[in-house]
Amino acid sequence: MNDSDGGRVRSDLPAVEAIDITKRYGSTVALDQAHIRVLPGETHALVGRNGAGKSTLVSILTGLQASDAGRVLFNGTLAPRLSDRDAWRRHVACVYQKSTIIPQLTVAENLLLNRYDRGRAGLISWRSLRRRARDLLAVWSVDVDVDTKANDLSVEQRQFVEIARALSFGARFIILDEPTAQLDAGAIARLFSHIRDLQAQGVTFLYISHHLQEIYEICDLVTVFRDARHIVTAPVADLGRGELVAAMTGEATALDVPRSRTAPGGDTGVVLDVTALRLDGVFDDISFQLRAGEVIGLAGAGGSGKTEVAETIVGLRTADGGAITVDGRTPRAGHVGDALASGVGFVPQDRHHQGLVAGMSVADNTTMTIPERLGTAGFLNTRRRDAIASTLIDALAIKTPGPDLPVAGLSGGNQQKVVMARALANDPKVLVLVTPTAGVDVRSKEFLLDKVDEVAAGGTGVLVASDELDDLVVCDRVLVMFQGRIVAEMPRGWRDHDLVAAMEGLTVDA
């Protein structure tokens, strides 16, 4: 029996219910009698550290694999057979952190893939295809041109298209897996608004995120998994941040633990000097100095230019003007190899596309920046490579059975540690990090930020380009960018409100 609560459709019958789910992989227990119950119209958060069982549960809820024990029910009815993919699509869909949209196809082609209307002689009716796609986008309030190539869409637009595609099959239960990992603050606000609109139309969401603040902004209830088991389910309003983190980690802890490192004195040497740096249409007149042992934040919302500045420093982009000096050397503009040789290490924003070669081993990924140390005369000394990799694995506490494991087999947090290890392998004078803790769990986030402190304490200058407040808390000072310019500088001890206001252009220093 349905009623209404603030415009949302409610029912005592769960949209989805997983009961006593157990899943083993050999001796590893991925889920141990885990359960979750999500009511129609809710946005229900699922949180937990890497290895807690979230991904395994998602694969079972979407019919990608079967549990060893337990049941999954949709609207009170037992889930379909795994072989009946069409039936699963009518019940559930998942929008993953890595888009499943085919970039070479148009929006219309992606929306109705393998469901094209055909006219005479069995040829595709493109007019009908576009009309159906426009109608579908209109129903779900997605403002995208159906003739646009998917490759030209923003991350935000691709997510909206994927949600519309899922709803077109009849599914009213959508799993969002780290949906904001690559979105700026404005895009996140628009995503949340869209979620609320869809909730009012009876769509139910399971929301998976490592960003705890988002849980409090958008979710009604939260379920915590830890060590493959269900720990707690509670209304978000009744569970404080400290309690939530404690449930995830097994102990009371928080991300805003005071850092122990002190900022270096003014007499330390300059390891990075950026002068009047300019990239036409992106940023202009960027100047700052980074000292040995100092951590500087480069903060800003999407479109501020912070990421592009970082990528210009490491040679991924070529500046139209200005100068970059690294430890007294001037690397060639737009030349990554020269930046590395000058002493720059880099952790990119997107580990999947820029940071890792998924099919290669942990050893190959961690040592990618130091080929000259791995052998002579162009030959690879695997023993030397593995020895160096093992040292980096220990230093970064990467959980892997050995250096030969393909990096794709690691959890997200451990993959990010591999990217960090690679950046540190050449003992950089300057370490440039772009949103370094995106898409990782609380413990991995704390570990990576502690590593930043440790690296800085050893004399490396660190530049952190991010709009994540947790990333910026390690910084000795934060430079705030807005519309391509530095508009404010905030010393350590800044208030969240002031920093966010400056990032959004609400406080602009002359």
Side-chain angles (χ1 to χ4, degrees), residues 1-11 39-43 196 199-202 220-221:
M1 182 175 180
N2 294 350
D3 60 9
S4 178
D5 179 12
R8 301 180 189 177
V9 177
R10 294 293 183 182
S11 171
L39 294 178
E42 285 182 345
T43 293
R196 293 185 182 102
Q199 279 182 294
Q201 298 179 63
D220 304 304
L221 280 85

Side-chain angles (χ1 to χ4, degrees), residues 220-222 233-239:
D220 304 304
L221 280 85
V222 58
T233 295
V236 169
D238 296 345
L239 196 65

Side-chain angles (χ1 to χ4, degrees), residues 307 311 316 346 348-356 419 422:
T307 300
E311 292 177 345
L316 286 174
F346 180 49
Q349 180 176 19
D350 186 343
R351 64 173 176 266
H352 299 295
H353 293 98
Q354 298 174 295
L356 298 168
V419 179
R422 186 190 66 181

Side-chain angles (χ1 to χ4, degrees), residues 117-300:
D117 290 337
R118 297 185 182 273
R120 295 176 181 177
L123 299 178
I124 295 173
S125 172
W126 296 108
R127 178 179 296 178
S128 175
L129 172 68
R130 295 186 185 96
R131 177 183 53 75
R132 289 174 60 200
R134 290 191 191 98
D135 290 346
L136 178 61
L137 294 178
V139 167
W140 301 112
S141 304
V142 179
D143 185 16
V144 176
D145 187 338
V146 297
D147 292 318
T148 302
K149 284 287 181 67
N151 196 48
D152 295 328
L153 299 177
S154 66
V155 174
E156 173 190 6
Q157 290 172 322
R158 286 197 296 271
Q159 288 181 339
F160 288 163
V161 169
E162 288 198 75
I163 291 172
R165 182 175 64 183
L167 294 169
S168 74
F169 285 97
R172 295 297 179 265
F173 171 54
I174 310 294
I175 300 172
L176 300 178
D177 185 9
E178 296 290 346
T180 65
Q182 298 179 51
L183 300 182
D184 60 46
I188 291 172
R190 289 188 293 272
L191 173 65
F192 287 178
S193 177
H194 202 64
I195 288 173
R196 293 185 182 102
D197 289 343
L198 291 173
Q199 279 182 294
Q201 298 179 63
V203 179
T204 303
F205 292 94
L206 181 64
Y207 190 93
I208 301 172
S209 178
H210 292 302
H211 301 300
L212 302 186
Q213 184 56 41
E214 294 175 6
I215 305 304
Y216 290 94
E217 290 181 25
I218 192 62
C219 297
D220 304 304
L221 280 85
V222 58
T223 289
V224 180
F225 277 16
R226 185 178 76 238
D227 298 330
R229 296 183 65 89
H230 173 277
I231 300 301
V232 66
T233 295
V236 169
D238 296 345
L239 196 65
R241 183 185 174 103
E243 294 174 287
L244 178 58
V245 174
M248 293 169 60
T249 63
E251 58 188 64
T253 185
L255 293 176
D256 56 353
V257 176
R259 321 307 296 184
S260 58
R261 180 185 54 83
T262 57
D267 56 347
T268 57
V270 173
V271 292
L272 175 65
D273 190 354
V274 177
T275 305
L277 199 64
R278 172 174 57 85
L279 183 60
D280 291 344
V282 182
F283 58 79
D284 188 31
D285 195 25
I286 304 300
S287 299
F288 63 90
Q289 290 185 329
L290 174 67
R291 298 185 176 276
E294 185 181 23
V295 182
I296 291 180
L298 197 59

Side-chain angles (χ1 to χ4, degrees), residues 282-283 299-309 481-485 503:
V282 182
F283 58 79
S304 65
K306 68 180 186 305
T307 300
E308 291 82 358
V309 169
M481 291 189 63
F482 182 73
Q483 295 182 344
R485 290 181 176 271
M503 288 166 57

